[in-house]
Every structure is written in C-alpha cells, then in structure tokens.
Amino acid sequence: MVRVAIAGGSGQVSQEIIDALLASRKHHITILSRKEAPTTPIASEIHWKIVDYDNKKSLVEALRETHTLLSFVQVLSDPDQKSQRNLINAAIAAGVKRFAPSEYGSKGTVNMAWWLGKEKVREYLEEVNEKGKVLEYTLFQPGLFLNYLAYPYKTAKHVDPLQSVFDFENKRAIVVEGHEDAIMTLTTVADLAAIVARAVEYEGTWPTTGGIRGNRVTFSQILEIGQKIRGSPFTVDKVKVEDLEAGNLKTSWGLKAVHQAVSQDQASALLRAVSIGILLSSSKGAWDISDDFNQLFPDYEFTSIERFLAKVWEGKP
C-alpha cells in the first residue's frame, strides 16, 4: 500500500485519478485542501485534511509518512507558483519520496502564457535537486485530452467537454498554413488516470519527463480521421504564423466553451489566446509528447483515436 497525498483534490482531472487509485484498492489517500470536506459521502480510504499552503509547518505535518505527492494546484490561480513551491519544500522536509507537479498537458509551454507557471515549477524542481536528488519527481504529460474531440458530449466521469481547434460537431478545424504535419499527442483522460495509478504503484525510479503518448498524429491525419468518421470533409480555416504571432486570429469561428477555473470576464480573451497558443506551440513541437511511460508499461493498451471517436460520433448528426 502506498500513502498518497493529493493537493487540489477537488479538480476534475484529480478526481479522475483519485477514482483510478481507489479502484486498485491498494492505497491510503489523503486529500489536501483549503476547503472543508464535501457534504456528500467520500470513500473510506480517503482522509481529508484542510491545509494552508502559506504555512510550511502545517504542510509538513500534513505530509508526514506520505510516500507520493500528486499536485493538481491550478497554475492560473497561483501565478507566482508559491503554493507549489511551498508544497515542494514541505515534501522535502517531511521526507516524501516522490512528487508530481501540476502538469497534465503539453511538454512545451512556448506561446502559452497561461501555462508559464509550469516552467517556474520545473525550474524550481531542478534547482532543489541541483546538488543531489532530494525529491524524485515526474512531469505527467499526456498531450491534449482526446475527450475534447468529442465536444459537446461528455466522455469522462468528471472532466467536462471543452472545445479545441478540431470541431468534430460542426466538421471544421483551424490549421496553421504550412504546418499541416504538426504533431498533436491525444490521450484519453481514462488512459492518463490508469497510467498515473500504475506509476504510483511502480517501485522503480520515475522518469523525470513523464510522457504519456496515447496517439501521436498530425493535424492532417486528424482531419482525415474526422472525414472518415463524420462522413464528409472538414471545412478548414488556414491561419498564417505571422498573424498568430501578432495576436490576430483570422478565422470564421472561435472557441466558446471555457474551463471551470476561468471567470466569465476572462473567458473571451483567454479562449482567443488558447487558440492562438495551441496553434503556434504545435508548430514548434510543444505537443509532440515523449513515450516514457509507454516504455515503462509496454503491456498497457492505449485507446486509439479512431476507435474512440467512431464510438462517440456513431449515429450523431
């Protein structure tokens, strides 16, 4: 049995992973939260602790006897990443063996300002381990959730549907001109959760770059799959790199569905920035994820993009 602590345990992705950990019936799970425990019943294997991320002593006490600490702290709501730095310091002081920062996306953050906090945490982890390993860690990176290509249909228990530049519902997409062969890694939420659960049980050393490669496909291949599954070609808006670099998104449509962590007054600007950021960063290799955990767990069968999307869109208008 592994004693696992979850920081930010009320988020959608964290709940998917908690469910996978509970399903193994092998772990003692502690959720660290600023909030009171929910009034709805929680699993008996879960212990809820209220913590103050600004109080190192409180965090150290909460982390005593913890083997693995998984962070799901919202990067956007912690711009200086003080909470995660404090978590790292407390984990080291409490003798935690392994840590995973709040990642769960691309390998690169270029052109994605909303994720720059991830770089700060990565740098801090390198810094604390500079003179010798004091905290083992991995960056769980599954790329983009394949579930988002099912929008507006919900295909995970906790993670809500979100739009992407691939709109299967309306058979349309946005592509950077000249970068039709840019790579996207697409992994289901369920596969991410299953791999994290296996990683928690794994007794060897975690790879620092924790790539999880469900499907490695080009933009062109995604459009081909879309045409096959949806029965007709997609309408493709091609945008120029220079326009994107200037902050201009010259398209006939845009994203509307926003993540629950984003306030309505921020939504419009952020959705535009997200579209531009994903398109530009994909042209620079940010979503071409490594296969570290695929190699570690070669027997695990990932959900294929074609099988997943065919099931989702079968019989849909």
Side-chain angles (χ1 to χ4, degrees):
M1 176 178 282
V2 177
R3 300 184 75 88
V4 186
I6 311 281
S10 59
Q12 294 180 2
V13 175
S14 63
Q15 288 182 72
E16 299 283 355
I17 289 170
I18 289 167
D19 282 355
L21 291 171
L22 287 172
S24 72
R25 298 189 177 279
K26 295 178 180 178
H27 311 299
H28 180 278
I29 300 169
T30 298
I31 293 179
L32 309 179
S33 178
R34 294 183 177 94
K35 305 173 185 175
E36 295 280 349
T39 52
T40 51
I42 58 175
S44 59
E45 298 96 326
I46 293 177
H47 182 53
W48 195 281
K49 284 186 180 178
I50 298 173
V51 295
D52 177 358
Y53 287 106
D54 293 325
N55 185 327
K56 182 181 176 181
K57 185 178 178 182
S58 159
L59 284 174
V60 171
E61 287 305 314
L63 290 170
R64 293 280 183 214
E65 298 183 4
T66 295
H67 180 276
T68 300
L69 170 60
L70 307 178
S71 174
F72 298 90
V73 172
Q74 280 290 345
V75 174
L76 270 175
S77 62
D78 187 24
D80 294 325
Q81 305 312 304
K82 184 179 178 183
S83 294
Q84 287 206 85
R85 287 203 307 270
N86 289 346
L87 266 177
I88 291 165
N89 292 338
I92 294 168
V96 172
K97 184 178 188 300
R98 299 191 298 204
F99 174 70
S102 191
E103 285 273 340
Y104 315 105
S106 61
K107 72 174 182 184
T109 60
V110 60
N111 296 115
M112 293 184 282
W114 65 94
W115 274 353
L116 287 181
K118 294 185 179 184
E119 292 293 348
K120 293 180 182 178
V121 175
R122 294 174 188 180
E123 289 167 7
Y124 191 63
L125 284 165
E126 288 179 6
E127 183 184 318
V128 298
N129 286 299
E130 194 172 17
K131 295 179 180 177
K133 186 182 287 186
V134 294
L135 181 65
E136 183 181 322
Y137 70 93
T138 194
L139 312 175
F140 287 116
Q141 296 170 346
L144 190 70
F145 288 143
L146 177 55
N147 307 69
Y148 292 159
L149 272 59
Y151 181 88
Y153 302 104
K154 188 165 184 174
T155 55
K157 183 178 177 182
H158 302 288
V159 172
D160 287 335
L162 277 182
Q163 287 174 298
S164 74
V165 295
F166 306 103
D167 183 354
F168 272 61
E169 181 187 24
N170 297 296
K171 304 177 189 176
R172 60 190 181 182
I174 305 171
V175 176
V176 181
E177 190 173 82
H179 293 275
E180 293 81 3
D181 289 332
I183 299 292
M184 287 297 294
T185 300
L186 297 162
T187 305
T188 64
V189 175
D191 284 342
L192 165 67
I195 291 297
V196 173
R198 283 193 174 207
V200 168
E201 293 177 26
Y202 181 65
E203 294 181 359
T205 302
W206 276 356
T208 301
T209 302
I212 300 169
R213 187 189 289 171
N215 299 268
R216 183 180 184 269
V217 286
T218 65
F219 273 63
S220 294
Q221 287 172 325
I222 294 170
L223 295 177
E224 290 170 10
I225 292 167
Q227 177 176 341
K228 178 181 176 182
I229 287 170
R230 298 294 281 136
S232 58
F234 277 36
T235 300
V236 179
D237 282 10
K238 293 204 172 183
V239 293
K240 297 181 183 297
V241 169
E242 53 266 34
D243 287 332
L244 296 174
E245 294 279 12
N248 298 320
L249 186 65
K250 298 179 178 179
T251 57
S252 59
W253 62 282
L255 307 187
K256 293 180 180 177
V258 69
H259 192 278
Q260 61 163 7
V262 179
S263 63
Q264 285 304 310
D265 59 335
Q266 293 178 308
S268 178
L270 183 61
L271 288 171
R272 184 180 185 83
V274 165
S275 299
I276 291 172
I278 287 176
L279 290 165
L280 274 177
S281 62
S282 66
S283 73
K284 299 172 183 177
W287 297 87
D288 190 2
I289 304 296
S290 59
D291 64 347
D292 306 82
F293 278 108
N294 301 58
Q295 292 186 42
L296 212 55
F297 307 124
D299 62 317
Y300 185 81
E301 186 176 348
F302 286 88
T303 307
S304 81
I305 180 173
E306 289 200 43
R307 188 166 69 246
F308 177 83
L309 292 174
K311 184 177 179 181
V312 168
W313 291 104
E314 184 179 7
K316 302 287 196 308

